[in-house]
Amino acid sequence: MKKKIAYEDVLANLCRVRIDYCSSAEYEIKILRETFEKCDDVFLYPYIPMRLVALMEGYFQELYSNIIDADVKYRRNFAKLVKDVQFESPIIDSFEQNTITFGEYASMLLSCNKLEDIHNNISTLLGTDDFYDEFNDKSILADVKDIFYYRHIFCHEIAGNIILEHGKILKMIDSASEFMNIVGDFVFKILYPQAPELTRDIINEAQKDFEAKDKELHKLIKWLEENVDYEYWGINLDFMDVFEEYRNRRAEKECEEYAGGSIYSYFYAQSKTEITEELMNGLKKKYRIWIRAYNTSH
């Protein structure tokens, strides 16, 4: 495991990441399958394991990042994987400025050189060893092992006597895709065990999340009002009426494209939750001296 990555390398990596589906590992694997299904040039076949490893590495880096950023208990579990993590000053500054999350940085320190690396990372981060139980078809795991095996050979050796068959590379592609789907679902169910499936339930859950976050905000402001010397510090937190109007209008603006649709209420509530979190994070940073006392008393 690495202990340190240069800030420039971290930033360059993240700048190459796009969030649209056409830039995802899932989409590229789909295109690889369609392309190589018609390809009979055996000299191009070594490209498959090399590219599949790169796609899996990117996919799991994002998955690790989401896990680590999801809860403090997963960040503690990360410490079991990488000891004595080292941070350059620009990395620390990026955490402070919220341009890079700890999960994004930490995920780059985790190895992805073989199947066992992925198993160890996921199992340690989540604190569970049920990873392999998700695979009813164990041939998928065998194919993933082969992908890493052939990737190493074709990257580091001439290996003129190693010839991949057409059926083999297609099976590699299919297994890599299924492997990522199964692991992704496994992680999602652990991170979000009560995730609703029906549209009505999804909307209700989003509304509950907003109400809880709004209640948390009011509780924080009330505590600050009761514990901060306003006259001495020149602080005024009597702005909730203005903030609520801003929050509603901004959420409406952000969700315009969904107006009239059944899912509009979900995105509207989600947007208001995010805007509320922005204010809370700002208050916690600005009044961090008092917040330390708040955290120890709650």
Side-chain angles (χ1 to χ4, degrees), residues 104 106 109 145 152 256:
E104 287 174 329
L109 299 174
K145 283 188 176 182
H152 178 83
E256 313 183 295

Side-chain angles (χ1 to χ4, degrees), residues 75-83 124:
R75 291 190 283 279
R76 289 171 181 158
N77 287 341
F78 166 77
K80 301 174 184 177
L81 288 167
V82 183
K83 305 291 185 181
T124 304

Side-chain angles (χ1 to χ4, degrees), residues 49-108:
M50 290 187 286
R51 188 56 186 158
L52 288 177
V53 167
L55 293 173
M56 284 194 287
E57 185 171 3
Y59 177 85
F60 286 107
Q61 178 181 310
E62 183 177 354
L63 194 62
Y64 301 150
S65 173
N66 291 336
I67 295 172
I68 294 167
D69 284 334
D71 195 282
V72 64
K73 63 183 178 182
Y74 302 128
R75 291 190 283 279
R76 289 171 181 158
N77 287 341
F78 166 77
K80 301 174 184 177
L81 288 167
V82 183
K83 305 291 185 181
D84 304 320
V85 180
Q86 300 172 18
F87 303 98
E88 293 184 348
S89 293
I91 289 290
I92 298 174
D93 291 341
S94 69
F95 293 159
E96 174 68 18
Q97 297 164 12
N98 296 316
T99 54
I100 297 175
T101 71
F102 177 74
E104 287 174 329
Y105 178 78
S107 65
M108 295 183 192

Side-chain angles (χ1 to χ4, degrees), residues 26 36 46 72-73 84 102 111 131 137 157 162 168 209 220 233 235 238-239 277:
E26 298 92 331
F36 277 84
V72 64
K73 63 183 178 182
D84 304 320
F102 177 74
S111 300
F131 181 92
D137 182 359
E157 302 176 19
I162 301 294
K168 179 67 174 178
D209 288 343
L220 171 60
W233 293 101
I235 295 172
D238 185 21
F239 55 72
E277 288 179 336

Side-chain angles (χ1 to χ4, degrees), residues 238-282:
D238 185 21
F239 55 72
M240 282 305 297
D241 55 337
V242 178
F243 170 72
E244 288 172 1
E245 180 181 359
Y246 159 77
R247 180 171 61 187
N248 291 340
R249 293 183 64 180
R250 177 178 158 188
E252 290 171 0
K253 191 70 176 176
E254 290 182 346
C255 301
E256 313 183 295
E257 62 181 298
Y258 305 106
S262 59
I263 201 66
Y264 173 82
S265 297
Y266 163 76
F267 286 107
Y268 181 70
Q270 185 183 55
S271 178
K272 291 207 295 182
T273 300
E274 292 172 352
I275 296 167
T276 305
E277 288 179 336
E278 288 177 6
L279 176 58
M280 289 186 64
N281 290 335

Side-chain angles (χ1 to χ4, degrees), residues 22-35:
C22 291
S23 300
S24 67
E26 298 92 331
Y27 178 78
E28 184 167 336
I29 285 182
K30 175 176 175 290
I31 298 303
L32 279 176
R33 185 61 162 83
E34 294 174 355
T35 301

Side-chain angles (χ1 to χ4, degrees), residues 99 121 204 206 282:
T99 54
N121 293 337
N204 289 340

